[in-house]
Amino acid sequence: MKSQNILLLIEVPQHQHGGTTYINNIIYSRLKNDKRFLFYIVNFSANVSEVSKFSIQKIIRNFKIIAKSWFIFFINKPVKVYLPLSATKFGIVRDFLLILPSVLFGGKKILHLHGFTYFKIYKESLLYRTILRVLDINSVYIGLCERQRLLVDSNFKKKTFVLYNTLNEDFYFKIKKKEKNKKKINLLYISNISKGKGQVDLINSVKHLNNIKLTLAGTLLNESKEFMDKFNKLIINNKDKIDYIGYADELMKMELFKKNDIFCMPSKLEEGSPVVIIEAMAHGLPIIAINKGCINEMIEGCGCIIDVFDELKFKIALEYVVSNYDILSKNCINNFNNKYKQDTFIKNFKDILTHC
């Protein structure tokens, strides 16, 4: 096998509504034929339902993947290894084992952060903190935005490059101006359905408002019976205003962006840089969201940030967005074109990998 300069260890499973593996698929599809890069696909979870779950079969599969990564490393002797870093205790142990040859034999490590839970677990877990300090040796980080870069600087004391996320441009309509529906305000949410994602808060925020239609799309994750009963009851009791359509593939998502006016992101989780917000901006949909992760930086001039989704605060935010719709929509499209185009992402990603 021909020697390669840079080894990329990434997961590229079938895309669900979610960020890291979506970006990995773009990286792989754009760079797999570039002779400077060698890819090893490390699909630790067979599907989204396996994420964060324990099983003997999963452990055996993970060890087989790790063993093969060592073999590939020693055969190819890469000068650098790229790895999207896990933000869980089990995941960081797995990542450490995966990249161990580079740790032992001095190769440079490029660690990509895709969220904000790293900093909490770094402070709370001695195991995580110890492993990360070992991985820190001869490493650089890639962050999603300036806020994350500053947090890495203050917590990890390491050099960090900012790389804005991007989207699969095969599946979006290139538009210059978004026209808002004049009769009814059409709101859209696309992401996984779970308690932490805040769909219940969003529904409660809009169910008493007039001239509103809310469409929810996403996979219903395994949640408590209490949450699932509450979610289903809200959908049934508000079917005149709320439409839950389940999982939406890429083509269906594009139709949803085309038909709706405003995108809502009520997540209470430590989000990173949600790809779905980039998709919304590409289609000219202003955004109403909670300030989590990179979201405030992402939608500056493109929508409205609120600290919690409730009826009063959402109504105020909605009035602001509707009153300033044309300029906010135009800002969304310009923001996407200036910061989140795929060619820009790939150029910056290659520059980081080759010159860091």
Side-chain angles (χ1 to χ4, degrees):
M1 188 181 292
K2 185 178 178 180
S3 178
Q4 303 286 331
N5 287 325
I6 302 171
L7 173 62
L8 292 90
L9 305 171
I10 62 173
E11 291 190 80
V12 287
Q14 187 68 30
H15 171 55
Q16 295 276 341
H17 296 149
T20 306
T21 55
Y22 179 95
I23 297 300
N24 289 347
N25 273 287
I26 292 172
I27 291 171
Y28 179 68
S29 65
R30 290 290 299 268
L31 299 183
K32 63 184 178 182
N33 295 321
D34 190 320
K35 300 300 182 183
R36 293 173 296 175
F37 307 116
L38 171 66
F39 285 89
Y40 175 47
I41 307 305
V42 291
N43 287 348
F44 290 112
S45 298
N47 55 63
V48 70
S49 65
E50 274 197 357
V51 175
S52 300
K53 290 188 176 180
F54 174 85
S55 72
I56 298 299
Q57 292 84 355
K58 184 177 178 180
I59 290 176
I60 293 172
R61 184 170 68 245
N62 285 359
F63 272 111
K64 287 181 179 178
I65 291 171
I66 290 166
K68 188 173 180 181
S69 74
W70 293 359
F71 176 79
I72 291 173
F73 180 90
F74 288 118
I75 290 295
N76 290 276
K77 299 180 175 61
V79 295
K80 300 174 186 176
V81 178
Y82 165 84
L83 178 70
L85 197 64
S86 174
T88 67
K89 293 177 185 178
F90 173 79
I92 196 67
V93 173
R94 182 194 65 201
D95 288 350
F96 177 75
L97 293 174
L98 191 66
I99 208 168
L100 183 59
S102 182
V103 174
L104 295 176
F105 296 96
K108 173 155 277 188
K109 298 172 291 297
I110 305 164
L111 306 176
H112 200 159
L113 307 179
H114 280 279
F116 279 75
T117 54
Y118 300 97
F119 309 109
K120 180 180 179 181
I121 194 171
Y122 180 81
K123 291 179 179 178
E124 294 177 350
S125 170
L126 177 61
L127 173 65
Y128 194 94
R129 195 160 56 248
T130 301
I131 291 177
L132 200 58
R133 284 172 178 170
V134 175
L135 291 179
D136 266 350
I137 301 170
N138 200 22
S139 295
V140 297
Y141 287 89
I142 299 175
L144 300 172
C145 60
E146 281 298 320
R147 182 186 173 214
Q148 192 172 48
R149 183 187 67 79
L150 292 173
L151 285 170
V152 173
D153 287 348
S154 62
N155 285 274
F156 304 162
K157 313 297 182 186
K158 296 294 292 186
K159 183 174 183 179
T160 308
F161 298 90
V162 173
L163 180 68
Y164 298 118
N165 273 345
T166 188
L167 55 78
N168 186 345
E169 294 181 13
D170 294 336
F171 292 100
Y172 85 97
F173 302 104
K174 298 176 178 65
I175 62 172
K176 295 183 179 179
K177 186 178 180 181
K178 174 74 176 177
E179 298 292 342
K180 182 176 69 66
N181 189 301
K182 293 180 172 58
K183 295 181 180 180
K184 182 182 292 186
I185 301 171
N186 294 304
L187 307 175
L188 177 63
Y189 168 90
I190 302 176
S191 190
N192 292 322
I193 307 296
S194 68
K195 183 177 180 180
K197 286 287 189 177
Q199 297 88 7
V200 168
D201 295 338
L202 175 58
I203 294 171
N204 285 329
S205 297
V206 306
K207 65 183 182 182
H208 295 130
L209 300 180
N210 297 322
N211 298 319
I212 293 288
K213 179 70 175 181
L214 170 63
T215 299
L216 302 164
T219 302
L220 184 59
L221 300 184
N222 293 328
E223 284 283 352
S224 67
K225 185 177 184 300
E226 179 185 2
F227 169 79
M228 296 178 74
D229 288 346
K230 181 183 290 187
F231 177 76
N232 290 326
K233 185 177 180 180
L234 281 169
I235 297 297
I236 293 170
N237 291 344
N238 297 280
K239 58 185 178 182
D240 57 325
K241 290 187 177 181
I242 314 295
D243 187 15
Y244 173 55
I245 62 174
Y247 174 74
D249 63 18
E250 295 298 323
L251 290 176
M252 185 181 292
K253 281 201 298 178
M254 298 310 103
E255 287 299 321
L256 290 171
F257 285 123
K258 187 177 180 181
K259 293 176 180 177
N260 288 279
D261 304 309
I262 298 168
F263 188 81
C264 300
M265 191 70 175
S267 178
K268 296 173 282 189
L269 303 176
E270 291 298 329
E271 300 286 347
S273 175
V275 171
V276 70
I277 285 182
I278 302 173
E279 292 173 320
M281 288 192 294
H283 290 85
L285 273 69
I287 296 119
I288 300 174
I290 293 177
N291 184 15
K292 292 290 185 180
C294 298
I295 293 176
N296 188 40
E297 184 177 329
M298 293 176 73
I299 71 168
E300 184 177 0
C302 300
C304 187
I305 290 288
I306 54 180
D307 58 0
V308 65
F309 269 72
D310 63 28
E311 187 172 338
L312 177 60
K313 292 182 179 180
F314 182 78
K315 184 178 180 181
I316 293 170
L318 188 62
E319 289 173 351
Y320 167 78
V321 171
V322 171
S323 298
N324 298 277
Y325 190 87
D326 288 344
I327 185 63
L328 293 175
S329 178
K330 182 179 179 181
N331 289 347
C332 286
I333 297 168
N334 290 338
N335 195 33
F336 167 73
N337 288 326
N338 292 334
K339 293 174 66 174
Y340 297 102
K341 295 282 287 184
Q342 191 177 126
D343 284 346
T344 301
F345 172 87
I346 291 297
K347 177 184 180 300
N348 292 337
F349 182 69
K350 289 196 294 185
D351 286 346
I352 293 170
L353 263 59
T354 55
H355 298 132
C356 70

